[in-house]
Amino acid sequence: LAGLALASDFTPRRIAVQLSNDLYRLLTPRLKRRGVFIETEIEYRVGAYFVLAVNVLRVDWRRLVKMTNRDVLERRAKWIKEAESEEGKEATLRYFGPLATLVRLSRMTSIEVLANFLALLYYTHWVVYTPICLFLYHFIIGETFRKYFLSSVTDEIFYYVERKGMEMDIQIMDAQSQTAFMLSA
């Protein structure tokens, strides 16, 4: 009887409310470890749908570049290990050169290009890359940086949600397009 009551208590709305509260609480420390200091607020909640507003307060570029380099190296090692474990893919894995690099770059999203650029900056001195990052963030590709900050922790969020036995879809949008989307709903 207790199992039946417990099972009926898990409605999509209740799960979404719990997840939004967890994201609201967990997103700030996860990004803080990466050097991104934020404030969050649940802006909109209807049924199983919610919007979490995130405002970036400050960025510790040294920590962000270091963590990004670590993530990119781990991701590359994982891809190489997976490719080597599959038979027949070793020929494509071993092909390097300028043409292969251009093909790989053409398939990357802007967030992946930014992550690889930040990982490359790790091998320069912080006095060099901090002004470059500040200039790019404030004047050229600030929106891409903000999307990268949030997408860099989405894997952890998806693992957290899967551990709870749920599924979710995350979309990272800028404020203008999110406002138009909310008004049309």
Side-chain angles (χ1 to χ4, degrees), residues 36-97:
V36 181
F37 299 87
I38 63 168
E39 62 183 7
T40 60
E41 179 182 343
I42 298 174
E43 195 169 279
Y44 180 75
R45 185 185 305 187
V46 172
Y49 175 78
F50 64 92
V51 174
L52 187 65
V54 178
N55 184 26
V56 177
L57 301 174
R58 185 173 60 88
V59 179
D60 180 354
W61 294 105
R62 290 172 70 178
R63 189 181 304 171
L64 179 68
V65 167
K66 179 181 177 183
M67 296 297 284
T68 301
N69 183 58
R70 186 199 66 181
D71 291 346
V72 167
L73 292 177
E74 286 176 2
R75 194 175 315 123
R76 279 188 195 145
K78 181 180 169 185
W79 289 341
I80 290 171
K81 185 178 179 183
E82 287 175 1
E84 286 177 345
S85 67
E86 297 176 12
E87 293 179 353
K89 299 255 182 178
E90 292 181 25
T92 58
L93 175 68
R94 298 292 176 215
Y95 179 69
F96 293 104

Side-chain angles (χ1 to χ4, degrees), residues 14 22 41-42 45-46 48 52 101 111 120 140-141 143 146 150-151 163 170:
R14 185 172 301 273
D22 290 348
E41 179 182 343
I42 298 174
R45 185 185 305 187
V46 172
L52 187 65
T101 303
I111 291 173
L120 180 67
I140 298 179
I141 54 173
E143 182 180 334
R146 288 185 290 277
L150 295 176
S151 69
R163 279 196 315 261
I170 293 180

Side-chain angles (χ1 to χ4, degrees), residues 2 24 32 158:
Y24 180 74
K32 188 176 183 181
F158 278 118

Side-chain angles (χ1 to χ4, degrees), residues 101-112:
T101 303
L102 288 174
V103 169
R104 261 194 313 271
L105 281 173
S106 69
R107 293 182 183 162
M108 294 176 122
T109 65
S110 60
I111 291 173
E112 291 171 329

